[in-house]
PDB file of all heavy atoms in Angstrom:
ATOM      1  N   TYR A 121     -21.568 -56.639  85.805  1.00 94.00           N
ATOM      2  CA  TYR A 121     -22.569 -55.915  86.544  1.00 94.00           C
ATOM      3  C   TYR A 121     -22.104 -55.744  87.987  1.00 94.00           C
ATOM      4  O   TYR A 121     -21.605 -56.676  88.668  1.00 94.00           O
ATOM      5  CB  TYR A 121     -23.821 -56.789  86.576  1.00 94.00           C
ATOM      6  CG  TYR A 121     -24.997 -56.325  87.492  1.00 94.00           C
ATOM      7  CD1 TYR A 121     -25.680 -55.155  87.240  1.00 94.00           C
ATOM      8  CD2 TYR A 121     -25.218 -57.066  88.629  1.00 94.00           C
ATOM      9  CE1 TYR A 121     -26.652 -54.756  88.069  1.00 94.00           C
ATOM     10  CE2 TYR A 121     -26.213 -56.710  89.516  1.00 94.00           C
ATOM     11  CZ  TYR A 121     -26.934 -55.514  89.258  1.00 94.00           C
ATOM     12  OH  TYR A 121     -27.883 -55.070  90.141  1.00 94.00           O
ATOM     13  N   PRO A 123     -23.470 -54.723  91.612  1.00 95.00           N
ATOM     14  CA  PRO A 123     -24.739 -54.545  92.427  1.00 95.00           C
ATOM     15  C   PRO A 123     -24.719 -53.358  93.278  1.00 95.00           C
ATOM     16  O   PRO A 123     -23.636 -52.833  93.710  1.00 95.00           O
ATOM     17  CB  PRO A 123     -24.797 -55.874  93.195  1.00 95.00           C
ATOM     18  CG  PRO A 123     -23.358 -56.248  93.425  1.00 95.00           C
ATOM     19  CD  PRO A 123     -22.673 -55.879  92.202  1.00 95.00           C
ATOM     20  N   GLU A 124     -25.893 -52.856  93.564  1.00 95.00           N
ATOM     21  CA  GLU A 124     -26.029 -51.806  94.581  1.00 95.00           C
ATOM     22  C   GLU A 124     -25.647 -52.361  95.928  1.00 95.00           C
ATOM     23  O   GLU A 124     -25.641 -53.546  96.170  1.00 95.00           O
ATOM     24  CB  GLU A 124     -27.469 -51.239  94.613  1.00 95.00           C
ATOM     25  CG  GLU A 124     -27.924 -50.688  93.299  1.00 95.00           C
ATOM     26  CD  GLU A 124     -27.283 -49.335  92.996  1.00 95.00           C
ATOM     27  OE1 GLU A 124     -26.726 -48.705  93.949  1.00 95.00           O
ATOM     28  OE2 GLU A 124     -27.156 -48.997  91.784  1.00 95.00           O
ATOM     29  N   ASP A 127     -28.283 -54.478  97.518  1.00 96.00           N
ATOM     30  CA  ASP A 127     -28.447 -55.807  96.804  1.00 96.00           C
ATOM     31  C   ASP A 127     -27.271 -56.712  97.216  1.00 96.00           C
ATOM     32  O   ASP A 127     -27.510 -57.919  97.377  1.00 96.00           O
ATOM     33  CB  ASP A 127     -28.419 -55.596  95.326  1.00 96.00           C
ATOM     34  CG  ASP A 127     -29.555 -54.595  94.831  1.00 96.00           C
ATOM     35  OD1 ASP A 127     -30.529 -54.477  95.601  1.00 96.00           O
ATOM     36  OD2 ASP A 127     -29.463 -54.088  93.767  1.00 96.00           O
ATOM     37  N   ARG A 131     -27.281 -60.463  99.115  1.00 97.00           N
ATOM     38  CA  ARG A 131     -26.477 -61.572  98.577  1.00 97.00           C
ATOM     39  C   ARG A 131     -25.517 -62.142  99.524  1.00 97.00           C
ATOM     40  O   ARG A 131     -25.358 -63.344  99.661  1.00 97.00           O
ATOM     41  CB  ARG A 131     -25.701 -61.101  97.298  1.00 97.00           C
ATOM     42  CG  ARG A 131     -25.053 -62.223  96.519  1.00 97.00           C
ATOM     43  CD  ARG A 131     -24.400 -61.790  95.257  1.00 97.00           C
ATOM     44  NE  ARG A 131     -23.238 -60.925  95.575  1.00 97.00           N
ATOM     45  CZ  ARG A 131     -22.477 -60.380  94.629  1.00 97.00           C
ATOM     46  NH1 ARG A 131     -22.811 -60.473  93.312  1.00 97.00           N
ATOM     47  NH2 ARG A 131     -21.449 -59.621  94.956  1.00 97.00           N
ATOM     48  N   TRP A 218     -36.546 -55.539 100.873  1.00 96.00           N
ATOM     49  CA  TRP A 218     -35.621 -55.424  99.644  1.00 96.00           C
ATOM     50  C   TRP A 218     -36.415 -55.009  98.466  1.00 96.00           C
ATOM     51  O   TRP A 218     -37.612 -55.388  98.229  1.00 96.00           O
ATOM     52  CB  TRP A 218     -34.966 -56.810  99.487  1.00 96.00           C
ATOM     53  CG  TRP A 218     -33.903 -56.833  98.501  1.00 96.00           C
ATOM     54  CD1 TRP A 218     -33.041 -55.833  98.105  1.00 96.00           C
ATOM     55  CD2 TRP A 218     -33.539 -57.979  97.639  1.00 96.00           C
ATOM     56  NE1 TRP A 218     -32.098 -56.287  97.156  1.00 96.00           N
ATOM     57  CE2 TRP A 218     -32.390 -57.623  96.854  1.00 96.00           C
ATOM     58  CE3 TRP A 218     -33.993 -59.324  97.539  1.00 96.00           C
ATOM     59  CZ2 TRP A 218     -31.838 -58.539  95.993  1.00 96.00           C
ATOM     60  CZ3 TRP A 218     -33.415 -60.164  96.649  1.00 96.00           C
ATOM     61  CH2 TRP A 218     -32.316 -59.756  95.874  1.00 96.00           C
ATOM     62  N   ARG A 219     -35.812 -54.203  97.646  1.00 95.00           N
ATOM     63  CA  ARG A 219     -36.528 -53.725  96.405  1.00 95.00           C
ATOM     64  C   ARG A 219     -36.867 -54.792  95.471  1.00 95.00           C
ATOM     65  O   ARG A 219     -37.781 -54.618  94.680  1.00 95.00           O
ATOM     66  CB  ARG A 219     -35.615 -52.676  95.761  1.00 95.00           C
ATOM     67  CG  ARG A 219     -34.297 -53.178  95.266  1.00 95.00           C
ATOM     68  CD  ARG A 219     -33.614 -52.064  94.384  1.00 95.00           C
ATOM     69  NE  ARG A 219     -32.309 -52.471  93.925  1.00 95.00           N
ATOM     70  CZ  ARG A 219     -31.791 -52.041  92.735  1.00 95.00           C
ATOM     71  NH1 ARG A 219     -32.520 -51.218  91.987  1.00 95.00           N
ATOM     72  NH2 ARG A 219     -30.690 -52.447  92.289  1.00 95.00           N
ATOM     73  N   PHE A 220     -36.129 -55.933  95.455  1.00 96.00           N
ATOM     74  CA  PHE A 220     -36.402 -57.047  94.543  1.00 96.00           C
ATOM     75  C   PHE A 220     -37.335 -58.119  95.204  1.00 96.00           C
ATOM     76  O   PHE A 220     -37.518 -59.169  94.607  1.00 96.00           O
ATOM     77  CB  PHE A 220     -35.168 -57.674  94.038  1.00 96.00           C
ATOM     78  CG  PHE A 220     -34.343 -56.758  93.147  1.00 96.00           C
ATOM     79  CD1 PHE A 220     -32.944 -56.650  93.255  1.00 96.00           C
ATOM     80  CD2 PHE A 220     -34.969 -55.954  92.180  1.00 96.00           C
ATOM     81  CE1 PHE A 220     -32.260 -55.798  92.383  1.00 96.00           C
ATOM     82  CE2 PHE A 220     -34.241 -55.104  91.299  1.00 96.00           C
ATOM     83  CZ  PHE A 220     -32.887 -55.058  91.525  1.00 96.00           C
ATOM     84  N   VAL A 223     -39.985 -59.638  93.050  1.00 95.00           N
ATOM     85  CA  VAL A 223     -39.488 -60.587  92.051  1.00 95.00           C
ATOM     86  C   VAL A 223     -39.349 -61.991  92.843  1.00 95.00           C
ATOM     87  O   VAL A 223     -39.648 -63.083  92.188  1.00 95.00           O
ATOM     88  CB  VAL A 223     -38.161 -60.219  91.523  1.00 95.00           C
ATOM     89  CG1 VAL A 223     -37.675 -61.184  90.410  1.00 95.00           C
ATOM     90  CG2 VAL A 223     -38.260 -58.825  90.909  1.00 95.00           C
ATOM     91  N   LEU A 239     -34.993 -66.476  96.379  1.00 96.00           N
ATOM     92  CA  LEU A 239     -34.132 -65.396  96.889  1.00 96.00           C
ATOM     93  C   LEU A 239     -32.680 -65.470  96.378  1.00 96.00           C
ATOM     94  O   LEU A 239     -32.089 -64.483  95.926  1.00 96.00           O
ATOM     95  CB  LEU A 239     -34.256 -65.221  98.353  1.00 96.00           C
ATOM     96  CG  LEU A 239     -33.526 -63.949  98.934  1.00 96.00           C
ATOM     97  CD1 LEU A 239     -34.403 -63.278  99.924  1.00 96.00           C
ATOM     98  CD2 LEU A 239     -32.240 -64.346  99.454  1.00 96.00           C
ATOM     99  N   SER A 240     -32.090 -66.614  96.526  1.00 96.00           N
ATOM    100  CA  SER A 240     -30.685 -66.837  96.197  1.00 96.00           C
ATOM    101  C   SER A 240     -30.507 -66.521  94.622  1.00 96.00           C
ATOM    102  O   SER A 240     -29.467 -65.977  94.267  1.00 96.00           O
ATOM    103  CB  SER A 240     -30.235 -68.191  96.543  1.00 96.00           C
ATOM    104  OG  SER A 240     -30.908 -69.207  95.925  1.00 96.00           O
ATOM    105  N   THR A 241     -31.500 -66.950  93.867  1.00 95.00           N
ATOM    106  CA  THR A 241     -31.419 -66.772  92.445  1.00 95.00           C
ATOM    107  C   THR A 241     -31.470 -65.305  92.074  1.00 95.00           C
ATOM    108  O   THR A 241     -30.555 -64.801  91.357  1.00 95.00           O
ATOM    109  CB  THR A 241     -32.628 -67.482  91.722  1.00 95.00           C
ATOM    110  OG1 THR A 241     -32.606 -68.855  91.956  1.00 95.00           O
ATOM    111  CG2 THR A 241     -32.588 -67.178  90.174  1.00 95.00           C
ATOM    112  N   VAL A 242     -32.336 -64.555  92.718  1.00 96.00           N
ATOM    113  CA  VAL A 242     -32.420 -63.102  92.466  1.00 96.00           C
ATOM    114  C   VAL A 242     -31.185 -62.403  93.072  1.00 96.00           C
ATOM    115  O   VAL A 242     -30.688 -61.485  92.388  1.00 96.00           O
ATOM    116  CB  VAL A 242     -33.699 -62.482  93.015  1.00 96.00           C
ATOM    117  CG1 VAL A 242     -33.765 -61.013  92.708  1.00 96.00           C
ATOM    118  CG2 VAL A 242     -34.980 -63.205  92.382  1.00 96.00           C
ATOM    119  N   ALA A 243     -30.729 -62.760  94.216  1.00 95.00           N
ATOM    120  CA  ALA A 243     -29.582 -62.175  94.791  1.00 95.00           C
ATOM    121  C   ALA A 243     -28.373 -62.323  93.941  1.00 95.00           C
ATOM    122  O   ALA A 243     -27.572 -61.440  93.898  1.00 95.00           O
ATOM    123  CB  ALA A 243     -29.355 -62.759  96.149  1.00 95.00           C
ATOM    124  N   GLU A 244     -28.232 -63.523  93.336  1.00 95.00           N
ATOM    125  CA  GLU A 244     -27.026 -63.678  92.447  1.00 95.00           C
ATOM    126  C   GLU A 244     -27.172 -63.004  91.121  1.00 95.00           C
ATOM    127  O   GLU A 244     -26.102 -62.451  90.628  1.00 95.00           O
ATOM    128  CB  GLU A 244     -26.812 -65.212  92.266  1.00 95.00           C
ATOM    129  CG  GLU A 244     -26.398 -65.961  93.536  1.00 95.00           C
ATOM    130  CD  GLU A 244     -25.037 -65.541  94.103  1.00 95.00           C
ATOM    131  OE1 GLU A 244     -24.207 -65.019  93.387  1.00 95.00           O
ATOM    132  OE2 GLU A 244     -24.897 -65.634  95.318  1.00 95.00           O
ATOM    133  N   LEU A 245     -28.292 -62.994  90.546  1.00 93.00           N
ATOM    134  CA  LEU A 245     -28.470 -62.349  89.254  1.00 93.00           C
ATOM    135  C   LEU A 245     -28.619 -60.856  89.337  1.00 93.00           C
ATOM    136  O   LEU A 245     -28.175 -60.137  88.404  1.00 93.00           O
ATOM    137  CB  LEU A 245     -29.744 -62.873  88.573  1.00 93.00           C
ATOM    138  CG  LEU A 245     -29.685 -64.387  88.172  1.00 93.00           C
ATOM    139  CD1 LEU A 245     -30.990 -64.801  87.524  1.00 93.00           C
ATOM    140  CD2 LEU A 245     -28.586 -64.641  87.127  1.00 93.00           C
ATOM    141  N   GLY A 246     -29.142 -60.352  90.465  1.00 91.00           N
ATOM    142  CA  GLY A 246     -29.258 -58.883  90.550  1.00 91.00           C
ATOM    143  C   GLY A 246     -30.450 -58.303  89.728  1.00 91.00           C
ATOM    144  O   GLY A 246     -31.466 -58.963  89.591  1.00 91.00           O
ATOM    145  N   ASP A 247     -30.235 -57.116  89.209  1.00 90.00           N
ATOM    146  CA  ASP A 247     -31.325 -56.475  88.507  1.00 90.00           C
ATOM    147  C   ASP A 247     -31.560 -57.108  87.163  1.00 90.00           C
ATOM    148  O   ASP A 247     -30.784 -57.072  86.224  1.00 90.00           O
ATOM    149  CB  ASP A 247     -30.884 -55.004  88.231  1.00 90.00           C
ATOM    150  CG  ASP A 247     -31.975 -54.116  87.625  1.00 90.00           C
ATOM    151  OD1 ASP A 247     -33.150 -54.667  87.359  1.00 90.00           O
ATOM    152  OD2 ASP A 247     -31.775 -52.945  87.471  1.00 90.00           O
ATOM    153  N   LEU A 248     -32.677 -57.835  87.127  1.00 87.00           N
ATOM    154  CA  LEU A 248     -32.979 -58.595  85.865  1.00 87.00           C
ATOM    155  C   LEU A 248     -33.290 -57.703  84.700  1.00 87.00           C
ATOM    156  O   LEU A 248     -33.299 -58.146  83.556  1.00 87.00           O
ATOM    157  CB  LEU A 248     -34.176 -59.491  86.098  1.00 87.00           C
ATOM    158  CG  LEU A 248     -33.964 -60.567  87.246  1.00 87.00           C
ATOM    159  CD1 LEU A 248     -35.198 -61.427  87.447  1.00 87.00           C
ATOM    160  CD2 LEU A 248     -32.752 -61.425  86.991  1.00 87.00           C
ATOM    161  N   SER A 249     -33.643 -56.459  84.958  1.00 86.00           N
ATOM    162  CA  SER A 249     -34.024 -55.578  83.845  1.00 86.00           C
ATOM    163  C   SER A 249     -32.814 -55.235  82.952  1.00 86.00           C
ATOM    164  O   SER A 249     -32.966 -54.679  81.829  1.00 86.00           O
ATOM    165  CB  SER A 249     -34.571 -54.271  84.296  1.00 86.00           C
ATOM    166  OG  SER A 249     -33.626 -53.503  85.117  1.00 86.00           O
ATOM    167  N   ARG A 250     -31.575 -55.573  83.372  1.00 84.00           N
ATOM    168  CA  ARG A 250     -30.413 -55.275  82.548  1.00 84.00           C
ATOM    169  C   ARG A 250     -30.284 -56.304  81.423  1.00 84.00           C
ATOM    170  O   ARG A 250     -29.430 -56.102  80.447  1.00 84.00           O
ATOM    171  CB  ARG A 250     -29.166 -55.278  83.407  1.00 84.00           C
ATOM    172  CG  ARG A 250     -28.669 -56.651  83.840  1.00 84.00           C
ATOM    173  CD  ARG A 250     -27.374 -56.524  84.733  1.00 84.00           C
ATOM    174  NE  ARG A 250     -26.645 -57.729  84.888  1.00 84.00           N
ATOM    175  CZ  ARG A 250     -26.996 -58.624  85.783  1.00 84.00           C
ATOM    176  NH1 ARG A 250     -28.014 -58.495  86.566  1.00 84.00           N
ATOM    177  NH2 ARG A 250     -26.200 -59.725  85.848  1.00 84.00           N
ATOM    178  N   PHE A 251     -30.984 -57.398  81.464  1.00 82.00           N
ATOM    179  CA  PHE A 251     -30.910 -58.484  80.442  1.00 82.00           C
ATOM    180  C   PHE A 251     -31.811 -58.091  79.296  1.00 82.00           C
ATOM    181  O   PHE A 251     -32.903 -57.504  79.448  1.00 82.00           O
ATOM    182  CB  PHE A 251     -31.303 -59.811  80.962  1.00 82.00           C
ATOM    183  CG  PHE A 251     -30.431 -60.357  81.982  1.00 82.00           C
ATOM    184  CD1 PHE A 251     -30.693 -60.381  83.310  1.00 82.00           C
ATOM    185  CD2 PHE A 251     -29.134 -60.830  81.674  1.00 82.00           C
ATOM    186  CE1 PHE A 251     -29.850 -60.844  84.319  1.00 82.00           C
ATOM    187  CE2 PHE A 251     -28.229 -61.260  82.568  1.00 82.00           C
ATOM    188  CZ  PHE A 251     -28.617 -61.334  83.919  1.00 82.00           C
TER     189      PHE A 251
END
Side-chain angles (χ1 to χ4, degrees):
Y121 169 72
E124 298 292 335
D127 302 339
R131 187 178 69 182
W218 188 30
R219 62 174 180 147
F220 292 137
V223 182
L239 186 134
S240 61
T241 299
V242 178
E244 293 297 332
L245 292 177
D247 188 357
L248 300 180
S249 65
R250 76 182 195 276
F251 295 107

